[in-house]
Amino acid sequence: MTSTLILLRHGESEWNAKNLFTGWVDVDLTEKGRREAVRGGELMRESGALPDVVHTSLQRRAISTACIALDAADRHWIPVRRSWRLNERHYGALQGKDKKQTLEEFGEEQFMLWRRSFDVPPPPLDDDAEHSQVGLPQYDDLGDEMPRTECLKDVIARFLPYWEGSIVPDLRAGHTVLVAAHGNSLRALVKHLDRISDEDIAGLNIPTGMPMVYELDDDMRPTAAGRYLDPEAAAAAAAAVANQGR
Ligand SMILES: O=C(O)[C@H](O)COP(=O)(O)O
C-alpha cells in the first residue's frame, strides 16, 4: 500500500515580496500569496489529491496558506496539527535584512554559505534584537530548544522527530497528509525523502504556493520523485527563488 504526502510552501509573504530574510519573523501573506494559496487548493481538488489531515508550522504565512488552500479544495473541515518543528529555518542575525544588500556587503561565497550551505548558520540573533522571537507565547515550551540561528542541518535535527512521531503515524493510518510549511523546513524533508547529499541540497529551491505530491511505500520511502501539480509553473518559480538577492 502507498501513502500520499502533499507538501505546500506558503504563498508569497510580505517579506518575500520585499526580498528580506524572514525566518521566524511572523509576517503575513501578500494578496499574490493568497491567490497562490487558492490556486494550490484548486490544483489539489482538480488532481484528486485531497488531504485528510494537515500539519502546519506555528507561523501565520503557513497557517493562512493551509486555511485558504483547503477552503479552495473543499477540505476546510479536516483536522489540523501544528508544531514549531515545521517552522522556517531561523535566519539568526539575518532576519529582517535585505538579501541583495547582504549579498553586496558580504559577497557571493558568504551569502551562499549562510543561505544554502548544509551546516553553516548565520550569526545568532540577540534575544533583545528587534526581530527576535524569544518570549513569544507560542514558543513558551521550547526552553533550551529555542533557536537563535539555524543551518539546514539544525532544521533537519528538529524536524525529523516530528516527521517520525506525528506525520508518519498519520500516513500509516492511511490518511493523505498535507504539510503546509516553509522553503527550508520543506527542503529538510525533501532532502530526507530523496536522500539528497549535503552538497547537492544547496541547489534545491522550493517555490511558494505549489503543491508537490509524493507516493510513499510502507517504509515511508518515495516510490517516485515528488511531482508538482503544475510542473512548468513550479520550475519557473523555483528558479526565481534561487535568484533572490541578485
Ligand atoms: O525565511 C526566508 O527568508 C524565506 O522564506 C526563505 O528564504 P531563502 O529561500 O532565502 O532561504
Side-chain angles (χ1 to χ4, degrees):
M1 183 187 93
T2 60
S3 306
T4 303
L5 171 69
I6 308 166
L7 308 184
L8 181 63
R9 180 182 178 195
H10 59 79
E12 182 195 67
S13 75
E14 292 168 340
W15 280 19
N16 290 152
K18 293 176 180 176
N19 215 23
L20 303 178
F21 285 106
T22 314
W24 280 36
V25 180
D26 202 11
V27 298
D28 208 341
L29 297 174
T30 62
E31 275 311 307
K32 177 185 176 187
R34 290 183 179 86
R35 291 195 300 273
E36 288 177 345
V38 171
R39 183 62 188 136
E42 291 170 344
L43 285 167
M44 287 192 275
R45 189 186 69 231
E46 292 160 10
S47 67
L50 301 175
D52 301 306
V53 60
V54 59
H55 294 254
T56 80
S57 71
L58 299 185
Q59 298 182 271
R60 61 168 40 90
R61 56 192 188 269
I63 293 169
S64 299
T65 296
C67 186
I68 293 166
L70 288 171
D71 186 59
D74 292 328
R75 304 296 284 193
H76 51 284
W77 43 270
I78 63 173
V80 58
R81 313 193 209 293
R82 307 195 197 289
S83 175
W84 71 273
R85 294 180 183 275
L86 295 180
N87 274 23
E88 178 55 280
R89 69 175 283 196
H90 193 296
Y91 253 115
L94 295 183
Q95 292 189 167
K97 293 193 180 303
D98 181 278
K99 294 184 181 181
K100 187 173 179 61
Q101 289 174 6
T102 303
L103 174 58
E104 290 167 354
E105 181 177 352
F106 294 97
E108 175 74 17
E109 182 181 2
Q110 184 63 73
F111 178 80
M112 286 306 288
L113 272 175
W114 282 335
R115 190 176 184 223
R116 286 290 179 267
S117 76
F118 176 61
D119 55 6
V120 177
L125 184 63
D126 292 338
D127 289 2
D128 58 0
E130 178 187 3
H131 295 305
S132 169
Q133 287 69 46
V134 171
L136 291 182
Q138 56 264 53
Y139 304 123
D140 276 350
D141 62 357
L142 264 61
D144 294 339
E145 291 189 285
M146 181 72 190
R148 274 70 177 181
T149 188
E150 287 181 307
C151 57
L152 190 65
K153 183 178 180 181
D154 297 326
V155 176
I156 292 170
R158 51 95 159 169
F159 179 100
L160 284 183
Y162 187 79
W163 165 255
E164 295 296 346
S166 296
I167 298 173
V168 165
D170 278 340
L171 291 164
R172 291 200 187 284
H175 300 313
T176 293
V177 173
L178 172 64
V179 176
H182 303 261
N184 290 291
S185 49
L186 292 176
R187 289 177 71 242
L189 178 52
V190 170
K191 182 179 193 298
H192 171 73
L193 291 173
D194 293 351
R195 292 188 169 136
I196 300 173
S197 73
D198 297 353
E199 294 72 32
D200 291 347
I201 191 61
L204 178 68
N205 291 281
I206 294 182
T208 53
M210 300 196 179
M212 179 201 290
V213 179
Y214 277 95
E215 299 300 334
L216 305 175
D217 64 20
D218 290 343
D219 295 324
M220 292 297 126
R221 303 311 307 177
T223 57
R227 62 184 173 86
Y228 283 106
L229 294 182
D230 184 343
E232 290 75 27
V241 173
N243 290 321
Q244 281 177 359
R246 304 184 187 292

